[in-house]
Amino acid sequence: MTVKPAEQPKYVYDPLDRELIALLRRDGRAPLSKLADILGVSRGTVQNRLDRLMESGALLGFTARVREDYDPDTVRAVMMIEVAGKSTTEVIRKLRGLPELQQLHTTNGAWDLVAEIRSSSLADFDRVLREVRMIDGILNSETSILLSSV
């Protein structure tokens, strides 16, 4: 008889969690004391919530956000990806290994995945496209370069 490991209970986010996540999206480097003041709770409460959000997987880390127009030479694109059969999990794992893929989304319709790509040059962009297309399980892709934000 095989014993299955106990599933971790699903974390339920309350309004305080949601507000904390929203604040961190705007400023991932905000000090705990500033977050506590904005939220109207103690610094310890913020720390405990951050710990739980990290443990639950809701927060993956903290990062600096850079303005979209900071580096005008950056190539940004959206790639639609069609995956063969039941290989989606393996394809996602391989795609996550590409640092130029900023976001990866599952979707419905003709395409299985949507990837947001950011590269430092057209040559790097071309390399990323080749690397993605070489992944076993990817049947087809269509990529659009983002020219400007309006």
Side-chain angles (χ1 to χ4, degrees), residues 52-78:
R52 275 193 284 168
L53 290 168
M54 292 292 289
E55 288 172 14
S56 74
L59 290 179
L60 300 176
F62 300 86
T63 185
R65 290 178 42 213
V66 179
R67 285 180 25 178
E68 296 295 329
D69 60 351
Y70 172 75
D71 185 0
D73 296 329
T74 297
V75 178
R76 298 176 336 161
V78 175

Side-chain angles (χ1 to χ4, degrees), residues 5-150:
E7 283 192 32
Q8 187 176 17
K10 185 174 179 178
Y11 185 80
V12 179
Y13 307 104
D14 66 15
L16 182 61
D17 292 323
R18 287 184 177 84
E19 197 172 347
L20 177 56
I21 291 169
L23 289 171
L24 290 171
R25 280 188 173 136
R26 286 191 294 264
D27 183 2
R29 296 178 45 123
L32 291 179
S33 57
K34 179 180 178 183
L35 295 170
D37 286 345
I38 293 169
L39 295 170
V41 297
S42 72
R43 186 182 179 284
T45 297
V46 172
Q47 183 64 62
N48 289 337
R49 293 297 179 117
L50 285 174
D51 291 344
R52 275 193 284 168
L53 290 168
M54 292 292 289
E55 288 172 14
S56 74
L59 290 179
L60 300 176
F62 300 86
T63 185
R65 290 178 42 213
V66 179
R67 285 180 25 178
E68 296 295 329
D69 60 351
Y70 172 75
D71 185 0
D73 296 329
T74 297
V75 178
R76 298 176 336 161
V78 175
M79 175 184 270
M80 314 295 230
I81 302 167
E82 181 182 3
V83 178
K86 298 179 180 180
S87 60
T88 304
T89 302
E90 185 62 22
V91 168
I92 289 171
R93 189 182 66 74
K94 290 178 181 175
L95 287 170
R96 283 187 175 154
L98 299 173
E100 294 84 3
L101 265 68
Q102 299 294 300
Q103 296 280 324
L104 188 59
H105 312 274
T106 58
T107 187
N108 65 333
W111 302 103
D112 300 301
L113 301 170
V114 177
E116 296 177 37
I117 301 169
R118 188 180 303 258
S119 64
S120 60
S121 67
L122 282 174
D124 279 342
F125 178 71
D126 185 45
R127 176 189 49 76
V128 171
L129 292 183
R130 280 194 313 275
E131 288 179 14
V132 168
R133 291 176 180 148
M134 297 287 293
I135 294 174
D136 286 335
I138 292 183
L139 293 177
N140 191 16
S141 67
E142 181 178 318
T143 306
S144 295
I145 294 177
L146 302 175
L147 301 175
S148 63
S149 297
V150 294

Side-chain angles (χ1 to χ4, degrees), residues 1-5:
M1 180 168 129
T2 307
V3 178
K4 293 181 183 177

